[in-house]
Amino acid sequence: QQQQHQQNSKLSIESFLKKTERFPAPSLVAPPKPMRLPPARLQQPEPDSKAAPVRGEFEALARKPANTAEERYRLLEARDKYFRLTTDRTTDIRKAQSTQGTCEDMCPEKERYMREFQLQVAAYEAGEGGGQRMDHRKAIKQYSRSSADQEAPLAHELRSEKGLGLAMAYLLHRIADLCEDEDVSMSDWFHFVWDRTRSIRKDITQQELCSLKAVQLVEQCARFHIHCAARLVAEEPSVFDQKINTENMTKCLQSLKYMYHDLGLKGVRCPHEAEFRAYVVLLNLNDGNFLWEVKQLPKEVQQSPEIRFAMQVYFALENNNYVRFFRLVRQTTYMNACILLRYFNQIRSRALETILRAYTHRTPAQFSLRHLTALLAFEDDEAAASFLDCYGLPVDVELGTALMDAKQYERPELPYQLERVYELVESKRRCSVGEAIAGGELEREGVLDSHVLEDSFDEDGFLKERILRDILKHTKLHLESSPVAQSDDDKVFKVPSPTTIS
């Protein structure tokens, strides 16, 4: 029996092995993957081979006269491409330095030609007769949004402090006061000045400028937005967006905060620091966290009249003391009043709620419309009646009375649309708009008329010899083999002349 059992087990094992022959056991060690040869390294072209076609394009364009705006733009663009390929750039962030602008015009030359042939000439930059023919003496650099594929600007594409100051002086002397002209489109005026001041701020940021002149320019940009907050308050949202204007104002003040700090570390104090620190407080009256920032300011700034006034307004608003709030508005400066205008709806609605709780506990009360107009600082009785009607309170204009009834009081879904406030705000400006934005007297206007524009082309439309020498100097080539030197070799670029042009 034992022998038979062994035979049966042997047969069962053999039968099992036969059944599993079709399914071999997996290997415990994975087979080695076939080795792949590393890809052959592509030979990187030498810098000279990269620059050669660009240089050829530049030479071909430079041999021809450029008489139109498009031809001149194409030539200057080819020059800049050649500059970028032949300029040494460091990839070490520790050694990298910001590019310092060398353009002393209000607008770089290449952009002037580009915008003229692309028909991007603003109405304030057009020549005599209007249209898309640009007056190059009126052109100011346009703002362009930064993008990932945008080339880093070259030195001549960024304006120096002189060029930036010239652009701001032009805006303040010849553009700012046009908003008082009834025939001027407020939309065109605002968007033009906003765009050009924005480009000034961008040039300052790209160059990391931090000097008293740069601070002055950013301060003037901030005052422009403060002025617009009151002057354009009644415009349609398509013309003027208060929220976007406040965002730009805040960006200006944020930049100034860092600039004040950096200059303070060098022992330099800006004359208008207290003024703009106070603007930050007035913009954040509903946020008590700003008190911590005030405590971090230098003692002389904390104790300045500007900061003291801002704190008085804060406590008046915090305590819902509307009488004191409007009294402070009557006493303050034009710029402060422009900022405080944004709180008028808030303080007036709170005042109505206080009056309703105090006088209409049981029965409605009748108030003189003229009394409410004076109490809440409305322009006139009609403005007061319009505001009360928006909150559901009945007004009898003929009798000059308003019925204060808590049951009818209701806050509107949309904020009440403010109108221009002449008596309480705009009457405080006793100077031109340009002087208000400048923060004092304007620089002499003769600087604008005496400025000589950069012009790379001669009377025949060819690049000037000086420009060619600058290109050679920039690209570190020898002047002996330069385009300026006379040579019989056709491969060497020569200064175009009537005898060499076929």
Side-chain angles (χ1 to χ4, degrees):
Q1 291 179 353
Q2 185 176 3
Q3 186 176 3
Q4 187 177 1
H5 177 71
Q6 291 177 354
Q7 289 178 353
N8 291 337
S9 61
K10 184 177 181 181
L11 290 172
S12 61
I13 293 173
E14 289 176 354
S15 61
F16 174 78
L17 291 175
K18 287 181 180 180
K19 290 180 181 180
T20 57
E21 282 178 355
R22 292 176 298 171
F23 308 100
S27 175
L28 296 178
V29 180
K33 294 182 179 179
M35 294 183 63
R36 294 182 180 179
L37 294 175
R41 291 185 178 179
L42 297 176
Q43 185 175 1
Q44 296 294 334
E46 295 295 327
D48 291 342
S49 63
K50 284 184 178 181
V54 179
R55 179 186 175 95
E57 178 188 359
F58 169 67
E59 291 179 359
L61 292 172
R63 284 193 176 96
K64 304 174 184 177
N67 295 317
T68 66
E70 182 176 2
E71 290 171 345
R72 295 189 174 192
Y73 165 71
R74 301 292 183 198
L75 178 53
L76 296 177
E77 176 67 9
R79 174 202 64 182
D80 290 352
K81 286 182 181 178
Y82 187 53
F83 275 173
R84 288 189 169 93
L85 288 175
T86 55
T87 302
D88 295 332
R89 293 185 182 180
T90 179
T91 56
D92 189 349
I93 193 171
R94 294 169 297 182
K95 298 180 181 179
Q97 295 181 351
S98 57
T99 304
Q100 297 302 304
T102 59
C103 175
E104 296 189 349
D105 297 333
M106 298 191 298
C107 182
E109 183 181 15
K110 186 178 76 172
E111 181 185 320
R112 299 200 303 265
Y113 293 127
M114 180 195 72
R115 290 204 286 119
E116 184 172 5
F117 98 81
Q118 291 182 353
L119 306 181
Q120 297 180 9
V121 180
Y124 298 110
E125 299 172 326
E128 295 182 4
Q132 291 297 318
R133 183 76 175 178
M134 177 181 284
D135 184 344
H136 286 234
R137 297 192 62 82
K138 297 179 180 178
I140 303 177
K141 185 177 180 180
Q142 192 176 44
Y143 174 79
S144 61
R145 191 179 299 275
S146 300
S147 59
D149 59 345
Q150 195 175 52
E151 292 280 1
L154 298 169
H156 59 263
E157 294 178 315
L158 294 173
R159 291 167 293 180
S160 63
E161 286 191 0
K162 179 182 177 181
L164 294 169
L166 200 68
M168 182 60 78
Y170 181 85
L171 290 172
L172 298 182
H173 273 288
R174 300 180 181 176
I175 305 295
D177 290 289
L178 295 178
C179 65
E180 300 299 292
D181 191 341
E182 295 181 356
D183 297 329
V184 170
S185 167
M186 291 307 301
S187 177
D188 293 345
W189 176 85
F190 170 70
H191 286 96
F192 178 79
V193 181
W194 173 29
D195 181 273
R196 289 346 186 230
T197 54
R198 203 176 178 190
S199 74
I200 290 175
R201 289 192 284 126
K202 183 177 179 181
D203 273 20
I204 291 174
T205 302
Q206 287 182 314
Q207 299 176 72
E208 298 180 3
L209 297 179
C210 189
S211 62
L212 289 176
K213 181 62 178 178
V215 167
Q216 181 188 34
L217 292 171
V218 180
E219 287 175 346
Q220 290 168 347
C221 292
R223 288 197 194 98
F224 163 71
H225 290 289
I226 294 173
H227 164 74
C228 291
R231 175 62 183 82
L232 305 180
V233 66
E235 299 294 333
E236 295 292 330
S238 59
V239 175
F240 176 74
D241 190 314
Q242 191 72 259
K243 183 178 179 181
I244 295 177
N245 186 67
T246 301
E247 288 176 357
N248 281 270
M249 189 194 312
T250 303
K251 288 178 181 178
C252 293
L253 296 174
Q254 191 76 3
S255 298
L256 287 171
K257 183 172 72 172
Y258 293 126
M259 296 171 87
Y260 291 148
H261 176 265
D262 292 345
L263 289 174
L265 295 177
K266 300 176 183 178
V268 179
R269 285 294 170 199
C270 302
H272 298 287
E273 180 177 357
E275 173 191 349
F276 285 87
R277 296 285 193 181
Y279 293 157
V280 175
V281 176
L282 295 178
L283 274 175
N284 296 277
L285 293 180
N286 289 321
D287 182 8
N289 294 328
F290 77 89
L291 291 173
W292 181 86
E293 290 191 16
V294 173
K295 293 180 181 178
Q296 310 306 314
L297 298 176
K299 289 295 182 182
E300 59 270 21
V301 177
Q302 289 187 39
Q303 298 172 2
S304 64
E306 293 86 353
I307 293 293
R308 288 180 177 273
F309 170 81
M311 295 306 300
Q312 290 175 355
V313 177
Y314 167 74
F315 289 120
L317 188 68
E318 182 73 12
N319 298 325
N320 194 24
N321 190 340
Y322 51 89
V323 175
R324 179 166 175 75
F325 176 86
F326 286 115
R327 185 184 300 142
L328 290 170
V329 174
R330 290 187 177 93
Q331 297 171 357
T332 192
T333 62
Y334 171 67
M335 287 292 168
N336 281 345
C338 288
I339 295 179
L340 292 175
L341 178 61
R342 69 190 59 239
Y343 299 103
F344 280 18
N345 281 346
Q346 175 184 337
I347 197 74
R348 284 167 176 166
S349 62
R350 287 184 180 179
L352 289 180
E353 292 170 359
T354 301
I355 293 172
L356 288 170
R357 284 195 302 268
Y359 295 97
T360 64
H361 181 63
R362 295 181 179 178
T363 58
Q366 202 169 48
F367 275 73
S368 166
L369 189 59
R370 181 170 298 178
H371 173 68
L372 290 175
T373 300
L375 188 67
L376 302 181
F378 287 104
E379 285 288 289
D380 49 38
D381 291 351
E382 291 183 2
S386 175
F387 184 83
L388 295 172
D389 181 67
C390 183
Y391 282 79
L393 298 175
V395 177
D396 191 330
V397 179
E398 294 182 358
L399 296 177
T401 59
L403 184 64
M404 306 299 288
D405 187 356
K407 295 181 180 179
Q408 298 188 52
Y409 176 81
E410 184 179 3
R411 286 197 173 191
E413 295 181 1
L414 297 176
Y416 177 75
Q417 177 61 50
L418 286 169
E419 297 295 328
R420 290 179 64 181
V421 182
Y422 295 94
E423 182 179 349
L424 196 59
V425 177
E426 295 192 31
S427 63
K428 296 179 180 295
R429 180 174 59 81
R430 297 180 177 86
C431 59
S432 67
V433 176
E435 289 174 328
I437 295 174
E441 294 184 3
L442 295 174
E443 299 177 5
R444 58 187 182 88
E445 194 173 1
V447 177
L448 301 173
D449 298 323
S450 61
H451 177 71
V452 179
L453 279 175
E454 174 68 21
D455 188 0
S456 302
F457 300 88
D458 60 19
E459 296 178 354
D460 298 321
F462 294 103
L463 279 177
K464 294 178 179 177
E465 182 176 329
R466 172 180 57 84
I467 304 300
L468 292 172
R469 289 186 178 275
D470 288 344
I471 295 173
L472 297 175
K473 179 182 178 181
H474 181 88
T475 55
K476 301 179 181 179
L477 297 178
H478 297 291
L479 286 177
E480 288 77 4
S481 60
S482 72
V484 179
Q486 296 297 323
S487 172
D488 295 329
D489 187 358
D490 292 335
K491 295 182 180 179
V492 178
F493 176 53
K494 300 184 287 295
V495 177
S497 64
T499 58
T500 60
I501 298 174
S502 56

